[in-house]
Amino acid sequence: MQIQLSDHFSLKRLIRFTLPSVCMMVFTSIYLVIDGYFVSNFVGKGALAAVNMVYPIIMVISSIGFMFGSGGSALVAATLGEGDEERARRNFTLLFLFPSALALAIAIPAFLFLPQILSFLGAEGQLLEDSITYGRILLTTVFLFVVQMEAQVFFVTAERPKLGLVNSILGFGTNIILDGLFCAVFRWGITGAAAATAISQAIGGIIPLLYFSFAKGNRLHFTRTEFEFRAVSKSAGNGLSELLSNISSSIVAMLFNGRLLYYAGEDGVAAYSVLMYVNMVFLSLFLGFSSGSGPLISFNYGSGNTKELKGLFHKLLIIILSSSVAMLALSLILSHPLSSLFVGYDRKLLEMTERGFGIYSFSFLFAGLNIFASSFFTALNDGKVSAIISFLRAFLFQVISVLVLPYFLGIDGIWLSIVATEVLTLFFSLYFLVTRKKDYDY
C-alpha cells in the first residue's frame, strides 16, 4: 500500500517512508566518490587533487537545486495540507523549472571564466590544466544535476519516493559503468571521469522532467503556470539554509584546499579529497533522512495536526541520535580500509589520510542533530532560524576554526576544525529547538 503524507507514522512506517530518500541522497553523493576512486587509482593523485579543486564550484551551482527543492517542497507540501491542490501544482511547476534555468544562466559564465577562477584558488601547472578539463565537462550538464537535486525532494512530496530512488540508482549505475569503461578500459584519464559523471547526471535530470511532464494522474505534475514572485521568494527564503550551507561549504572547501596546499602540498589536498568523499556519503544519510521527513512535517504543520507533528519530532530525534553514534563507530572502524581503497598505493599519503580520518570522524557524532535542526525549521517554513544554523555550521565557525587551529596544531588543526565547528553549532541547534517548541507546538 502506498504511504501518503496524511497517514499516521509509527517509527517503522517513518523509516520505510524516508528510506528511499536516504538511498537517493547516498547514491547522488557517490557520483564524485566514484570519480575519485577511478581517478586516484587509474590516473594519479594529482588528478585526484584536480577533482577536489573543481568540486566546490559545481556544488555552488547545484546548491540552487537544494534551495528550491527543500524550500519549494515545504511550500508545496504545506499548500497540499491546506487542501489547495491546484495552487500546489502551479507552484510546483514554477519552483521545479525556474531553478534549472537559473543554474544554466550561472553555468555559462562559469564555463568561460573557469581558468581565471581556478588560478585564483591556487591551481597552477598540470593541476590547473586537469581542473579546467574536468570542470568544463561537468558544467555542460550541471543544470540537469540541479533538476536531479530538486527531484529528490519533490518525488517525496508527490508521494513517489521509490521513483526517486529508481532514478538515483539509474544515474549511479551509469556512472559506475562509464567510469569503468572510460578510465579503466579506454584510459581516457580525467576526461573520461568527467564525461561519465556528466552523462549520469544528465540521465538523473532528464527522467524527472519526463515523468512530471506526462504523469497527469499523479498528485503533482507540470501544469500551466506563471512567474509568481511571492512563491519564488518564499521558497528561496525557506531553502536559504540549504543554499547557504552548500555555498558556504564550497567556499570553505576552497579555503581548506588553500591551507592544505600551504601545509602539505598536493598530498594534503588529495587526503582531504578522501575525507570529503566519506563525509559526503555519511552526511548524505542525515540529509536524506531530513529531506525525506520534511514534507511530512510541512504537511502536518499546514493541516494543523499538532499531535502527529509532535510524534514525528520525537521519533526523528530517536533515529538521528542513534544513527550519530553508529556512524562514529563505523567511521573509526572503516578508516583504514577506506583510506587504502583510494590512496593505498602511496604510503605517506595513506598515513596522512588515516590520521585525518581518525580526527575527523568525531564530527559525525554532532553533525546529524545540526543537519536535522536546520532541515526541521525549513520544513516549518521558518527559513530565518534554519539559515542561522546553516550559516554558523557551514561558514562562520569553520572559517574561524580552519584559520586559527592550524597555527597551534599544524595540519591536525585542519582536521580538528570540522569537529570544533559541529560542537559549537550544536549549542545553537539545541537552543532553537528548545525555545521554538511553543511557537510551533511540536
Side-chain angles (χ1 to χ4, degrees):
M1 178 182 290
Q2 180 181 317
I3 302 177
Q4 298 180 325
L5 298 179
S6 55
D7 289 348
H8 168 67
F9 283 82
S10 63
L11 186 62
K12 181 180 180 180
R13 196 175 184 85
L14 180 60
I15 293 174
R16 279 181 56 203
F17 184 78
T18 56
L19 185 60
S21 296
V22 173
C23 294
M24 277 191 286
M25 193 64 75
V26 169
F27 284 131
T28 301
S29 69
I30 292 177
Y31 276 132
L32 287 175
V33 177
I34 295 171
D35 273 4
Y37 170 77
F38 280 99
V39 167
S40 181
N41 285 277
F42 293 97
V43 186
K45 62 183 181 181
L48 178 63
V51 173
N52 196 47
M53 291 295 293
V54 172
Y55 166 73
I57 299 171
I58 300 300
M59 289 310 297
V60 166
I61 300 175
S62 65
S63 62
I64 297 171
F66 283 105
M67 177 175 69
F68 282 97
S70 299
S73 67
L75 178 62
V76 171
T79 306
L80 289 173
E82 294 167 0
D84 193 345
E85 293 197 5
E86 182 58 35
R87 182 160 63 93
R89 282 191 286 269
R90 289 198 307 269
N91 287 338
F92 162 72
T93 304
L94 172 63
L95 299 173
F96 199 105
L97 300 178
F98 173 75
S100 58
L102 180 60
L104 182 60
I106 296 173
I108 292 173
F111 183 95
L112 296 174
F113 296 103
L114 188 60
Q116 290 82 357
I117 296 172
L118 291 168
S119 294
F120 175 77
L121 296 176
E124 57 184 20
Q126 190 61 45
L127 177 61
L128 176 61
E129 292 182 21
D130 288 343
S131 299
I132 293 171
T133 299
Y134 187 80
R136 279 186 162 164
I137 293 174
L138 289 191
L139 284 169
T140 60
T141 59
V142 71
F143 73 99
L144 288 170
F145 188 43
V146 168
V147 172
Q148 185 179 0
M149 295 298 99
E150 295 176 289
Q152 286 182 341
V153 186
F154 276 122
F155 269 127
V156 178
T157 309
E159 300 175 342
R160 295 291 189 273
K162 292 182 180 179
L163 289 178
L165 176 57
V166 171
N167 184 52
S168 296
I169 292 174
L170 286 174
F172 170 72
T174 301
N175 199 26
I176 289 181
I177 294 171
L178 294 183
D179 259 324
L181 285 174
F182 295 169
C183 294
V185 179
F186 299 152
R187 298 287 179 171
W188 289 349
I190 199 165
T191 301
T197 298
I199 294 171
S200 60
Q201 288 178 353
I203 291 174
I206 290 172
I207 290 175
L209 289 174
L210 293 175
Y211 174 77
F212 287 116
S213 295
F214 297 103
K216 301 302 182 182
N218 192 66
R219 198 173 192 181
L220 289 180
H221 57 262
F222 292 152
T223 187
R224 188 180 298 276
T225 189
E226 58 185 22
F227 186 82
E228 184 182 336
F229 179 77
R230 181 185 175 279
V232 172
S233 61
K234 180 67 173 175
S235 298
N238 289 345
L240 184 61
S241 60
E242 279 68 27
L243 178 70
L244 287 175
S245 178
N246 282 278
I247 289 180
S248 299
S249 296
S250 299
I251 294 173
V252 170
M254 297 174 194
L255 178 61
F256 267 67
N257 286 336
R259 300 292 280 169
L260 286 163
L261 282 172
Y262 175 78
Y263 280 97
E266 286 190 10
D267 276 6
V269 177
Y272 180 56
S273 300
V274 178
L275 297 186
M276 286 301 96
Y277 294 149
V278 177
N279 182 68
M280 281 190 294
V281 175
F282 275 40
L283 294 191
S284 67
L285 297 172
F286 293 129
L287 290 167
F289 182 72
S290 297
S291 64
S293 61
L296 298 175
I297 296 166
S298 300
F299 183 90
N300 284 285
Y301 176 65
S303 63
N305 190 348
T306 56
K307 181 179 180 181
E308 184 68 19
L309 184 62
K310 289 179 180 179
L312 284 170
F313 176 72
H314 290 104
K315 294 180 183 74
L316 291 168
L317 279 181
I318 291 172
I319 296 173
I320 289 293
L321 294 176
S322 58
S323 298
S324 298
V325 175
M327 209 164 292
L328 169 62
L330 188 63
S331 63
L332 291 174
I333 293 171
L334 295 178
S335 62
H336 177 71
L338 288 177
S339 298
S340 299
L341 180 67
F342 286 93
V343 295
Y345 54 82
D346 189 313
R347 181 178 178 181
K348 180 182 177 181
L349 181 55
L350 176 61
E351 291 176 354
M352 180 188 298
T353 305
E354 275 195 76
R355 181 171 178 81
F357 214 135
I359 298 172
Y360 195 99
S361 294
F362 286 91
S363 66
F364 298 129
L365 189 61
F366 313 103
L369 189 56
N370 291 327
I371 291 172
F372 166 72
S374 178
S375 298
F376 184 71
F377 286 109
T378 295
L380 292 173
N381 286 275
D382 191 340
K384 180 179 178 181
V385 171
S386 182
I388 291 172
I389 295 173
S390 291
F391 175 73
L392 295 175
R393 175 178 176 266
F395 186 73
L396 183 62
F397 290 149
Q398 284 205 53
V399 170
I400 294 173
S401 298
V402 78
L403 290 177
V404 174
L405 292 180
Y407 278 112
F408 302 97
L409 302 172
I411 193 172
D412 284 349
I414 298 179
W415 313 133
L416 187 62
S417 64
I418 303 297
V419 182
T421 294
E422 298 292 359
V423 172
L424 291 171
T425 306
L426 183 63
F427 290 106
F428 288 87
S429 297
L430 293 174
Y431 169 78
F432 285 119
L433 287 172
V434 172
T435 59
R436 296 298 174 106
K437 192 170 185 178
K438 290 184 178 179
D439 296 338
Y440 297 106
D441 201 15
Y442 55 78

